[in-house]
């Protein structure tokens, strides 16, 4: 079902959009690209161009890295941890105060429901900044006894310090643009690093607004720089820049591999949060409504554009038709339409390219002999919508089972016993996340160590938190974000050994 609506935007968002060309933030300057080139930003629900932003090149990246370096070696580098904490807490307040503006802008450029922009892009971001602010005052090393035999009278004292890794390049995708920007910026700020952030080409607007708010909160210029542009030009220039000490990347496995290889040329530190094809393992004691409701949040939320999306479902043979039938009923019930409309459940995909990609996958499934039970097409001629889709009669040879679709598409398969279930769940190049659904706690606990994934949820899916380490096994990445784990890769460990 499709619902359309006209939207009245807050005056502040209109002001933001009325500027004919947005500039980007380098040091304390709002600047165009040196080349003068720009790129368009499109509202995916209406296909209208809503803004254009600088298309940064190598020379702009050079300036941004220089601004970040000079800030690291200047006043920012000399701040006490408590001063960084206070600035971050002020930033969290400013982001919360301007939350409606951020949420509207995010829904406009990305297409996620306004309600979720408020909850995820704003509230979770505010909580995340506050959480990371707390770590600024708790960065610590260790002390060691050392073991070599020593001449009479010589003793040693050894300890480690954790020091900021330096200038960070944060490169983020378009699925949760504001939250992802904060996930890169906040640990950098907490650990005393500086950062150059490159948002995705489709969704640069909330990152630019965040840049405004960072200056408003009182951060010294150059601590955070926002450079807009394309991955192949601005992004690649950042990754190979010798002035970058660490790359924090979230995006596809394909680009992640290139970035990892490029970073290693300069021994640039790198953390990679990549794609997934996360399995949903349903045991035979689960109610059909329970799992169907779970798939709304675990897959269809954000039009399936979640790296952790539970996109492969395995249900017991005997209950397969019942469970998948119920999921199809729920999928069919979901209303598509303007993400500003409170009666709508599913907004558009982010871009025409993404819509074509998702529809292409569904078509390839059909060609391979799979059956589309529900959905499978675009419901309107305007806007990049794809219906929530459930596909059966699939097997592990098919592209739709092996590759990340990044849209509202579920492939469902039956299993015979728990060994079959585990074999199928692990038969993937990815290892980002998984969920197990079951009432018998002993059976659930037995499965957990056998699943190869960085995060496993039980009786839920897609729950992320600042305090829970997050990252992938296998092709889903390198390193862990969030929690104490994040601090390790935004700092270097320095060992000190003193003879006395
Ligand atoms: P993408 O194409 O890999 O792009 C991600 C970012 O990298 C964008 O800013 C992109 O710029 C930039 N980029 C592209 N090529 C580059 C290069 N050669 N050098 C440096 N930067 C480059 O991914 P996407 O399509 O935006 O996002 C979807 C993917 O992200 C999915 O695979 C999803 O699973 C993954 N993801 C993972 C997580 C996680 O935490 N594990 C979270 C969310 C999303 P452009 O915008 O100009 O292309
Ligand atoms: Mg891209």
């Amino acid at each position: 079902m499709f619902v359309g609506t006209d939207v009245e935007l807050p005056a502040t968002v209109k002001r933001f959009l009325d500027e004919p060309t947005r500039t980007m933030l380098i040091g304390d300057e709002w600047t165009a690209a040196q080349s003068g080139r720009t790129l368009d930003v499109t509202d995916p629900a209406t296909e209208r161009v809503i803004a254009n932003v600088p298309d940064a090149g190598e020379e702009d990246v050079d300036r941004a890295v220089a601004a970040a370096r000079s800030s690291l070696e200047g006043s920012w580098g000399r701040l006490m941890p408590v001063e960084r904490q206070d600035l971050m807490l002020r930033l969290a307040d400013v982001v919360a105060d301007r939350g409606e503006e951020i949420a509207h802008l995010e829904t406009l450029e990305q297409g996620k429901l306004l309600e979720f922009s408020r909850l995820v892009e704003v509230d979770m971001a505010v909580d995340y900044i506050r959480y990371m602010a707390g770590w600024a005052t708790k960065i610590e090393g260790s002390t060691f006894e050392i073991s070599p035999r020593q001449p009479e009278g010589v003793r040693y004292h050894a300890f480690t310090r954790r020091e900021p890794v330096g200038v960070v390049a944060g490169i983020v995708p378009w699925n949760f643009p504001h939250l992802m920007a904060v996930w890169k910026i906040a640990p950098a700020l907490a650990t005393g690093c500086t950062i150059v952030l490159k948002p995705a080409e489709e969704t640069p607007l909330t990152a630019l607004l965040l840049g405004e708010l960072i200056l408003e909160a009182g951060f010294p210029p150059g601590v955070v720089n926002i450079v807009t542009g394309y991955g192949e030009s601005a992004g690649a220039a950042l990754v190979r820049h010798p002035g970058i000490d660490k790359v924090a990347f979230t995006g596809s496995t394909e680009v992640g591999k290139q970035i990892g290889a490029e970073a290693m040329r300069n021994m640039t530190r790198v953390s990679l949060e990549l794609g997934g094809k996360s399995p949903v393992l349903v045991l035979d004691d689960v109610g059909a409504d329970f799992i169907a409701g779970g798939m709304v949040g675990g897959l269809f939320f954000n039009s399936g554009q979640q790296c952790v999306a539970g996109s492969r479902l395995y249900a017991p043979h005997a209950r397969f038709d019942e469970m998948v039938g119920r999921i199809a009923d729920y999928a069919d019930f979901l209303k598509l339409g303007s993400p500003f409309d409170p009666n709508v459940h599913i907004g558009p995909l982010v871009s025409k390219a993404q819509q074509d990609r998702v529809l292409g996958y569904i078509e390839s499934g059909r060609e391979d002999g799979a059956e589309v039970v529900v959905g499978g097409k675009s419901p309107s001629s305007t806007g990049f919508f794809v219906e929530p889709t459930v596909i059966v009669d699939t097997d592990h040879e098919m592209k739709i089972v092996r590759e990340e679709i990044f849209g509202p598409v579920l492939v469902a398969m039956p299993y015979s016993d728990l060994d079959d279930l585990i074999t199928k769940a692990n038969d993937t190049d990815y290892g980002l996340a998984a969920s197990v659904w079951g009432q018998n706690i002993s059976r659930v606990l037995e499965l957990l160590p056998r699943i190869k994934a960085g995060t496993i949820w039980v009786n839920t899916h897609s729950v992320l938190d600042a305090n829970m380490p997050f990252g992938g096994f296998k092709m889903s990445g390198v390193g862990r974000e969030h929690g104490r784990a994040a601090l390790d890769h935004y700092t270097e460990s320095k060992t000190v050994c003193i003879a006395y």
Side-chain angles (χ1 to χ4, degrees):
M1 185 172 169
F2 190 81
V3 183
T5 191
D6 281 332
V7 187
E8 185 52 30
L9 292 171
T12 42
V13 175
K14 282 197 199 142
R15 171 196 57 76
F16 190 91
L17 295 174
D18 279 348
E19 290 178 35
T21 299
R22 296 291 317 166
T23 45
M24 60 187 174
L25 178 61
I26 297 182
D28 57 358
E29 226 186 296
W30 287 96
T31 170
Q34 233 168 66
S35 67
R37 283 197 304 265
T38 60
L39 61 91
D40 287 343
V41 183
T42 304
D43 169 359
T46 61
E47 302 187 26
R48 279 196 291 253
V49 172
I50 49 173
N52 49 54
V53 299
D55 168 12
E58 190 145 14
E59 51 300 343
D60 305 300
V61 166
D62 275 346
R63 276 198 301 146
V65 175
R69 175 67 53 193
S70 120
S71 172
L72 184 74
E73 287 166 4
S75 61
W76 172 251
R78 289 191 293 273
L79 286 191
M80 299 304 287
V82 76
E83 295 173 295
R84 296 203 306 270
Q85 170 200 269
D86 290 351
L87 279 168
M88 290 180 74
L89 292 174
R90 206 175 310 150
L91 174 62
D93 290 344
V94 174
V95 170
D97 283 351
R98 302 277 289 273
E100 274 304 279
E101 205 174 325
I102 298 167
H104 279 79
L105 206 52
E106 200 60 281
T107 292
L108 199 62
E109 70 172 342
Q110 201 275 344
K112 68 167 50 64
L113 299 190
L114 184 59
E115 180 193 347
F116 289 128
S117 286
R118 288 178 174 134
L119 252 155
V120 178
E121 305 283 357
V122 178
D123 294 354
M124 277 181 74
V126 169
D127 291 343
Y128 199 84
I129 298 168
R130 292 196 177 122
Y131 171 88
M132 279 294 162
W135 278 117
T137 55
K138 295 164 196 70
I139 293 166
E140 56 188 22
S142 315
T143 59
F144 303 94
E145 296 297 335
I146 69 167
S147 57
R149 291 176 216 288
Q150 326 180 359
E152 187 70 19
V154 177
R155 283 188 292 166
Y156 297 98
H157 177 66
F159 63 94
T160 54
R161 298 167 43 75
R162 295 225 65 119
E163 299 180 355
V165 67
V167 178
V168 175
I171 301 180
V172 292
W174 42 255
N175 59 337
F176 293 96
H178 186 257
L179 183 65
M180 295 276 169
V182 163
W183 282 1
K184 303 303 183 208
I185 291 172
L189 298 176
T191 49
C193 299
T194 57
I195 183 164
V196 181
L197 181 91
K198 195 209 82 70
E201 67 190 75
E202 295 86 352
T203 54
L205 298 181
T206 49
L208 291 172
L209 180 53
L210 181 62
E212 268 186 46
L213 305 186
I214 283 167
L215 293 185
E216 195 179 314
F219 281 88
V223 175
V224 177
N225 307 274
I226 315 282
V227 170
T228 54
Y230 295 104
E232 312 82 73
S233 43
L238 259 178
V239 173
R240 63 170 179 264
H241 201 293
I244 293 292
D245 299 298
K246 175 203 162 53
V247 177
F249 173 76
T250 298
S252 61
T253 293
E254 191 191 340
V255 174
K257 282 187 195 170
Q258 289 171 35
I259 287 181
E262 186 62 41
M264 279 307 108
R265 287 176 195 276
N266 294 326
M267 289 298 155
T268 304
R269 283 26 180 170
V270 63
S271 51
L272 303 168
E273 298 291 349
L274 308 177
K277 186 77 179 175
S278 299
V280 177
L281 295 80
V282 191
L283 302 184
D284 59 10
D285 56 0
V286 172
D289 273 306
F290 186 48
I291 185 61
M295 283 296 90
V296 174
L299 175 65
F300 298 126
F301 159 67
N302 209 30
S303 289
Q305 300 165 119
Q306 315 175 41
C307 53
V308 295
S311 51
R312 284 186 293 141
L313 181 126
Y314 300 97
H317 243 298
R319 297 196 50 215
F320 184 80
D321 289 346
E322 175 206 356
M323 286 181 175
V324 175
R326 207 72 193 105
I327 294 169
D329 292 344
Y330 273 59
D332 198 31
F333 169 82
L334 297 172
K335 289 193 191 72
L336 283 84
S338 165
F340 287 100
D341 185 332
N343 299 312
V344 158
H345 305 116
I346 305 276
L349 297 176
V350 73
S351 63
K352 176 87 175 89
Q354 192 61 16
Q355 183 192 35
D356 288 346
R357 195 178 126 92
V358 173
L359 292 172
Y361 270 112
I362 296 170
E363 198 41 48
S364 98
R366 283 200 181 99
E367 281 164 14
D368 288 344
E371 188 200 340
V372 176
V373 183
V374 69
K377 50 188 196 312
S378 176
S380 71
S381 53
T382 309
F384 310 130
F385 295 88
V386 174
E387 293 168 344
T389 300
V390 177
I391 305 184
V392 297
D393 288 343
T394 59
D395 64 52
H396 276 234
E397 303 299 310
M398 293 182 186
K399 242 170 71 166
I400 49 165
V401 174
R402 302 217 69 84
E403 296 180 15
E404 181 180 48
I405 298 177
F406 224 59
V409 181
L410 181 73
V411 294
M413 281 155 287
Y415 66 85
S416 51
D417 57 24
L418 293 187
D419 286 339
D420 183 40
L421 173 61
I422 287 291
T423 304
K424 284 177 168 151
N426 286 334
D427 179 21
T428 170
D429 295 335
Y430 293 109
L432 189 58
S435 59
V436 180
W437 300 71
Q439 299 305 312
N440 180 332
I441 190 73
S442 303
R443 279 202 302 167
V444 171
L445 284 171
E446 270 172 40
L447 290 179
L448 299 185
R450 301 178 66 190
I451 300 168
K452 294 191 174 19
T455 297
I456 306 178
W457 293 284
V458 176
N459 292 332
T460 187
H461 198 108
S462 294
V463 179
L464 299 179
D465 183 71
N467 206 26
M468 294 198 309
F470 176 64
F473 281 28
K474 304 199 279 184
M475 287 293 178
S476 291
V478 175
R480 294 292 177 272
E481 291 195 300
H482 313 336
R484 179 190 285 269
L487 305 178
D488 286 350
H489 49 102
Y490 284 82
T491 54
E492 285 275 16
S493 172
K494 178 183 282 175
T495 303
V496 180
C497 177
I498 306 170
Y500 67 103

